[in-house]
Amino acid sequence: MARIGVFVCHCGTNIAKTVDVDRVAAAAARMPNVAYATTYLYMCSDPGQNIIKEAVKEHSLDRIVVAACSPSLHEKTFQKCAEAAGLNPYFSEMANIREQCSWVHSDREEATAKAIKLVQMAVARAYYDQELYQSQIPVHRRALVIGGGVAGIQAALDVAASGYEVVLVERTPSIGGRMAQFDKTFPTLDCAACILTPKMVEVASDPNVKIVTYAEVESVSGFLGNFEAVIRRRARSVRMDACNGCGVCYQKCPSKKIPSEFNAGLGTRTAIYVPFPQAVPNVPVIDRENCRYFLTGKCRICEKVCSAQAIDFDQQDEILKEQFGAIIVATGIDVLDHSIYGEYGYGRYPDVISGLQLERLINAGGPTQGILKRPSDGKEPESVVFIQCVGSRDDSKGFPYCSKVCCMYTAKHTILLKEKHPETEIYSFYIDIRSTGKGYEEFVRRAQEEFGVHYLRGRVSRVYPRGDKMVVMGVDSLLGQQVEVEADLVVLATAAQARSDAKELARKLNVATDRYNFFTEAHPKLRPVETLTAGVFLAGACQFPKDIPDSVASGSAAAAKVASMFSKPFLLSEPTVAEVLPLTCVGCLNCQSVCPFNAIDEVAFVNPLTREEKKVAKVNEGLCNGCGTCVAACYSSSIQLRGFTDEQIFRQIETALAP
Amino acid sequence: MSKNSTEEKQAAAAAEWEPSIVGFLCRWCSYAGADLAGSSRMEYPPNVNVIRVPCSGRIDPLFVLKAFQQGADGVLVSGCHPGDCHYAEGNYYARRRMTLLKRLLEFLGYHPHRLRLEWVSAAEAREFAEVVKDMVEQVKALGPAERYADFDGRPGAVAGLEPSIPVEVPVVGEGERK
């Protein structure tokens, strides 16, 4: 006989409004094996947990069932509570009567009946709970940070500051990321390079950080504390140890007409190049797809002019295999390719540019040395129109979400233009202004009031050329009028979107993505930098568009999670793994063939009664992730998944269907 | 006249009849998707009782058969989208098993709509609510499922009079641990 206690939570009115919790508790009290049932306003709160602990003592309960929210939210809470009450933590079950009952049903009768059923199923399952114990797993105290933007740099610095080794992998030839492309930052207008480049140097000189640029993560295997990552360092064709960064090679390179990625396609670069002068590491890369020598077999000018003899045309990709205890993903965002907006003429009219391109055009390190010249004829624009929400908040062509940063960077652009050329006429079409950060609203107000930027509320229907000007046709919805503005330059505030290969990386890391391919956090509020894959963390805009302060904060947060994980002597593994019952195992090893983790070995087993020896399957608990695929594949029911045994699930099925 | 009223009564009973559906949801995608449907307050009918499993690969075809034997009118099996399995490939096994099982069920005389295999991600709250609504409607149209008897002739299990929680049953694997 078990003595199960059932604890029904009101969750304020979240549950109690739709589910008659008293009736649920009364029904639970009559269920077989239930020795005690009660309700409380907030079971997860301190007094709620005390009710559980006291009831365990007073009524000699040996299992608890908490009817409350989803186990994804509070399973751990109540396992800890059970442990504090002197029970094995795995003698605790939850019935999800909030997310999957009170919040999705409105009829009180129906919802109460379903809640009773869910409690009944949890009670049936609890009866078969087993005592389980976590085992210790060792940790490799090294972190892998994927992505060298400001979030990744911050995360690497913070993990390194806690005394642990970090490998920072960056896909492009230099760390720095999006922020390195920016001119100034809102709302303080400090120069992006002035605050970022010292950080880049700091991370490069940190003895705990190893930076691997021009490299990508090919595959990741293993689990929490024991990941193995395969990193492909692409051939740079320049020896890092020999190059002194003098820059003669790219000054002399004859292939000069390659669009510069760093300048968002506006300027040009050479085939051997550093993306920008402050690059870290300051070592050029040969772009083999555009290099004359690699295309035609002739040239080698860079080799001739290199006094350090650092050019190495025969360099091969290098494969690094490294062990890590934790992984921080900080791969950032792409900018929407808004050629889908044919009505804005992007791609056809050179004077319709994106916000990121404007950022390069006003940057002193950009293709025009910071003097804003429009791309078509190099004229300095006298009037500029900004169009916001291009691709954001637009379900039909772009994304339904708000990209969060565009209102602010558009305000920044307008102020920067006005500061240099106060006589420029600037118009900004917007849907709503979203400026919800420290000093943000004041900043937008400054653009409108102090700098006299004309904010027009409404959408733009068309952009077309007239003479050497662009005509922007739209509607001012506050005046209820059609408006037509002539401009020399049109700047689109394009949506931020997930990296095109985010999904691919998510699969390598085994983490979830949302419908837009942003990485999904473990809990949107309480675990914002963790993923549901233990040991993999998120930093920066790969999770959702973030501005610089938020990216830096999430980088630090992820680093803190990693550091706290590394500070423990060992980690505890979930005991809910598969287990072979050797007495009945026939050694067919069907389980081995379906196991995704190679966690099943063949071992010899001697029957203690008959002394017969046979081959049986055995689960390596360190490798088993507890998916249970082997259990469903076993012909003789000789393999069980702890916490999800056949017996438990069969009883749940029976209970679910009993009248 | 009397014949008419019997028919009316039957029609009224059929209209009131609510199907029982058991849902097996993997904890990483579909169960989380169902949770999100809750947090987003998306209403759907209460006919599905959910059993949370670690992975759709854990779902033994016997679970589905057991559910039908115990009187389920429909069974929903839902996991991560192909390629997105938390355990890399569990949902591929689920897909193969359920495909075969579906053919067996059809052979036994169950309408194919009674077993539904769906991929619902942790973000697809609306999709989950739609799947439930749609399935309840479909199964309702089919009417109650025929039930096969329990091999052990368990009292109550077949007649469906009382929950069959046994009073004293050894815990699985207990012998091994001692």
Side-chain angles (χ1 to χ4, degrees):
Chain A
M1 276 294 282
R3 291 183 61 82
I4 301 172
V6 177
F7 301 88
V8 187
C9 179
H10 295 233
C11 195
T13 55
N14 283 308
I15 294 171
K17 194 176 149 214
T18 342
V19 170
D20 186 340
V21 285
D22 292 323
R23 245 167 71 204
V24 175
R30 289 194 299 272
M31 289 174 197
N33 299 313
V34 172
Y36 179 74
T38 189
T39 72
Y40 184 67
L41 198 55
Y42 290 107
M43 221 35 113
C44 56
S45 67
D46 208 32
Q49 294 194 39
N50 282 335
I51 289 178
I52 298 177
K53 286 174 207 161
E54 273 157 32
V56 167
K57 227 180 277 165
E58 198 172 319
H59 300 277
S60 339
L61 305 177
D62 55 12
R63 272 136 233 240
I64 60 168
V65 168
V66 183
C69 51
S70 169
S72 321
L73 193 62
H74 275 317
E75 191 176 47
K76 284 267 169 292
T77 312
F78 292 113
Q79 283 179 349
K80 277 188 193 142
C81 174
E83 196 170 24
L87 301 178
N88 183 283
Y90 294 87
F91 278 170
S92 135
E93 291 292 340
M94 287 192 78
N96 185 348
I97 62 167
R98 192 179 77 171
E99 278 86 343
Q100 297 187 11
C101 187
S102 74
W103 276 352
V104 287
H105 308 315
S106 51
D107 185 290
R108 199 169 161 84
E109 274 308 305
E110 284 178 355
T112 307
K114 182 169 170 184
I116 292 173
K117 183 60 86 181
L118 291 174
V119 170
Q120 211 172 2
M121 287 163 72
V123 166
R125 188 188 147 77
Y127 183 86
Y128 290 93
D129 277 345
Q130 302 162 295
E131 276 189 37
L132 300 176
Y133 298 94
Q134 294 180 317
S135 50
Q136 300 178 351
I137 43 177
V139 201
H140 280 282
R141 287 185 180 73
R142 299 179 79 220
L144 169 65
V145 178
I146 307 174
V150 69
I153 291 173
Q154 186 65 43
L157 281 171
D158 285 3
V159 174
S162 313
Y164 305 109
E165 264 181 63
V166 183
V167 174
L168 177 60
V169 176
E170 166 59 39
R171 171 156 57 184
T172 68
S174 167
I175 58 169
R178 287 278 171 227
M179 189 175 167
Q181 292 179 286
F182 299 160
D183 181 44
K184 301 274 187 331
T185 58
F186 58 79
T188 47
L189 294 183
D190 30 1
C191 129
C194 315
I195 50 180
L196 178 68
T197 46
K199 266 202 184 300
M200 288 161 62
V201 174
E202 190 187 343
V203 75
S205 55
D206 193 307
N208 277 335
V209 181
K210 174 173 148 194
I211 296 180
V212 187
T213 51
Y214 212 46
E216 283 186 77
V217 174
E218 290 239 306
S219 66
V220 174
S221 57
F223 52 95
L224 169 68
N226 300 273
F227 294 105
E228 185 180 276
V230 179
I231 300 161
R232 174 181 290 268
R233 197 208 304 247
R234 282 152 64 204
R236 215 175 174 103
S237 314
V238 177
R239 292 211 318 274
M240 299 269 288
D241 48 354
C243 175
N244 57 20
C246 70
V248 176
C249 53
Y250 51 82
Q251 285 158 13
K252 302 282 182 201
C253 176
S255 314
K256 292 187 193 299
K257 293 268 159 87
I258 305 155
S260 156
E261 298 87 356
F262 185 76
N263 284 328
L266 284 181
T268 55
R269 62 163 171 84
T270 46
I272 183 165
Y273 71 107
V274 287
F276 54 104
Q278 301 78 24
V280 171
N282 187 17
V283 176
V285 172
I286 295 182
D287 167 8
R288 292 188 175 186
E289 278 169 23
N290 287 301
C291 168
R292 257 183 219 187
Y293 173 67
F294 282 100
L295 290 173
T296 65
K298 282 184 195 142
C299 184
R300 300 183 84 127
I301 288 175
C302 49
E303 192 183 34
K304 283 173 209 131
V305 299
C306 180
S307 57
Q309 278 148 13
I311 309 290
D312 179 1
F313 291 110
D314 300 324
Q315 211 175 49
Q316 298 293 314
D317 286 4
E318 198 183 336
I319 303 289
L320 314 168
K321 267 191 194 165
E322 306 226 8
Q323 313 286 322
F324 299 101
I327 299 173
I328 296 176
V329 188
T331 47
I333 42 170
D334 275 337
V335 178
L336 174 82
D337 167 20
H338 38 276
S339 53
I340 50 168
Y341 284 88
E343 64 269 38
Y344 298 160
Y346 182 81
R348 281 182 291 142
Y349 310 133
D351 293 334
V352 178
I353 61 171
S354 72
L356 193 62
Q357 287 177 320
L358 181 75
E359 204 79 55
R360 296 309 303 151
L361 285 181
I362 54 177
N363 189 304
T368 54
Q369 284 75 47
I371 301 159
L372 178 59
K373 294 176 182 166
R374 63 181 204 173
S376 63
D377 54 8
K379 185 185 150 194
E380 290 190 37
E382 285 157 15
S383 61
V384 182
V385 171
F386 287 85
I387 305 175
Q388 298 199 42
C389 295
V390 177
S392 310
R393 305 178 69 192
D394 181 358
D395 219 348
S396 57
K397 280 193 176 172
F399 303 105
Y401 59 79
C402 165
S403 293
K404 202 178 172 191
V405 289
C406 327
C407 283
M408 293 311 297
Y409 76 61
T410 299
K412 174 188 77 179
H413 288 158
T414 60
I415 290 181
L416 290 176
L417 293 192
K418 278 279 190 186
E419 268 188 335
K420 279 189 192 156
H421 301 285
E423 70 288 353
T424 315
E425 282 299 328
I426 298 181
Y427 300 85
S428 178
F429 283 91
Y430 69 99
I431 307 181
D432 299 290
I433 297 296
R434 296 183 168 176
S435 50
T436 57
K438 194 173 181 178
Y440 286 13
E441 177 64 18
E442 297 92 316
F443 185 71
V444 176
R445 283 284 175 144
R446 265 185 78 202
Q448 293 170 333
E449 289 160 11
E450 192 180 318
F451 289 93
V453 176
H454 308 293
Y455 269 74
L456 300 172
R457 187 176 189 278
R459 295 217 80 144
V460 171
S461 58
R462 224 182 126 202
V463 178
Y464 61 95
R466 182 191 290 160
D468 69 338
K469 300 226 176 220
M470 302 301 298
V471 180
V472 180
M473 274 181 67
V475 65
D476 184 333
S477 63
L478 295 180
L479 291 175
Q481 274 179 359
Q482 280 256 337
V483 285
E484 209 185 275
V485 186
E486 276 201 346
D488 294 316
L489 186 69
V490 177
V491 183
L492 309 181
T494 44
Q497 66 177 5
R499 292 270 185 204
S500 57
D501 54 356
K503 189 89 192 170
E504 207 182 306
L505 181 63
R507 282 185 183 160
K508 285 176 194 165
L509 294 167
N510 210 353
V511 299
T513 50
D514 67 13
R515 54 188 280 219
Y516 315 112
N517 292 340
F518 289 114
F519 295 101
T520 310
E521 61 288 332
H523 188 278
K525 286 156 195 93
L526 302 178
R527 295 169 69 194
V529 297
E530 292 160 81
T531 66
L532 281 173
T533 301
V536 180
F537 303 90
L538 304 176
C542 63
Q543 181 228 0
F544 195 69
K546 285 195 179 80
D547 56 15
I548 294 165
D550 285 359
S551 295
V552 172
S554 65
S556 283
K561 287 278 168 195
V562 170
S564 76
M565 196 178 113
F566 286 177
S567 67
K568 296 183 183 118
F570 49 80
L571 298 173
L572 293 171
S573 73
E574 273 303 308
T576 46
V577 293
E579 168 183 36
V580 175
L581 317 174
L583 275 179
T584 53
C585 175
V586 296
C588 71
L589 295 174
N590 203 27
C591 46
Q592 196 178 48
S593 68
V594 301
C595 177
F597 305 101
N598 295 323
I600 295 174
D601 304 318
E602 188 181 9
V603 294
F605 172 76
V606 181
N607 185 320
L609 295 175
T610 61
R611 306 256 165 232
E612 273 175 297
E613 193 184 313
K614 64 173 179 178
K615 295 277 184 208
V616 296
K618 187 176 189 331
V619 176
N620 179 335
E621 291 191 14
L623 291 176
C624 178
N625 275 249
C627 67
T629 302
C630 55
V631 187
C634 180
Y635 298 131
S636 58
S637 300
S638 300
I639 190 159
Q640 276 304 334
L641 180 63
R642 294 181 193 145
F644 292 94
T645 62
D646 281 346
E647 203 65 47
Q648 284 180 310
I649 295 174
F650 278 133
R651 292 299 92 79
Q652 274 179 287
I653 299 169
E654 285 176 357
T655 318
L657 294 161
Chain B
M1 185 72 186
S2 68
K3 194 189 164 197
N4 246 352
S5 69
T6 322
E7 270 175 12
E8 270 167 22
K9 265 184 197 163
Q10 278 175 349
E16 266 175 41
W17 172 77
E18 285 292 336
S20 298
I21 297 171
V22 177
F24 295 97
L25 309 187
C26 91
R27 65 184 286 188
W28 302 103
C29 293
S30 303
Y31 194 90
D35 277 352
L36 187 63
S39 334
S40 322
R41 312 294 197 281
M42 289 173 178
E43 196 163 339
Y44 57 79
N47 306 55
V48 181
N49 284 319
V50 169
I51 294 174
R52 175 171 169 256
V53 288
C55 174
S56 53
R58 171 70 186 92
I59 302 165
D60 193 323
L62 275 178
F63 295 167
V64 178
L65 290 172
K66 180 80 177 177
F68 281 121
Q69 182 203 56
Q70 295 294 309
D73 301 302
V75 173
L76 170 65
V77 168
S78 186
C80 309
H81 284 272
D84 291 352
C85 176
H86 184 78
Y87 306 102
E89 50 197 44
N91 54 357
Y92 293 134
Y93 287 105
R95 182 164 67 180
R96 282 179 232 168
R97 287 169 186 154
M98 294 309 140
T99 309
L100 272 177
L101 180 64
K102 204 165 173 137
R103 298 192 60 180
L104 174 72
L105 286 170
E106 274 185 67
F107 177 78
L108 291 174
Y110 282 96
H111 193 282
H113 284 172
R114 292 197 191 274
L115 170 60
R116 184 155 174 165
L117 178 63
E118 284 284 348
W119 312 125
V120 174
S121 82
E124 290 173 337
R126 188 172 304 281
E127 283 77 357
F128 180 77
E130 287 307 318
V131 162
V132 172
K133 273 185 224 165
D134 192 53
M135 185 169 182
V136 169
E137 229 164 75
Q138 278 187 349
V139 174
K140 226 174 190 170
L142 292 173
E146 197 178 329
R147 209 192 298 188
Y148 288 80
D150 189 328
F151 239 30
D152 312 334
R154 242 183 250 253
V158 178
L161 292 174
E162 55 193 53
S164 63
I165 300 175
V167 179
E168 211 56 69
V169 176
V171 175
V172 176
E174 198 175 47
E176 263 61 55
R177 258 195 307 289
K178 279 175 186 167

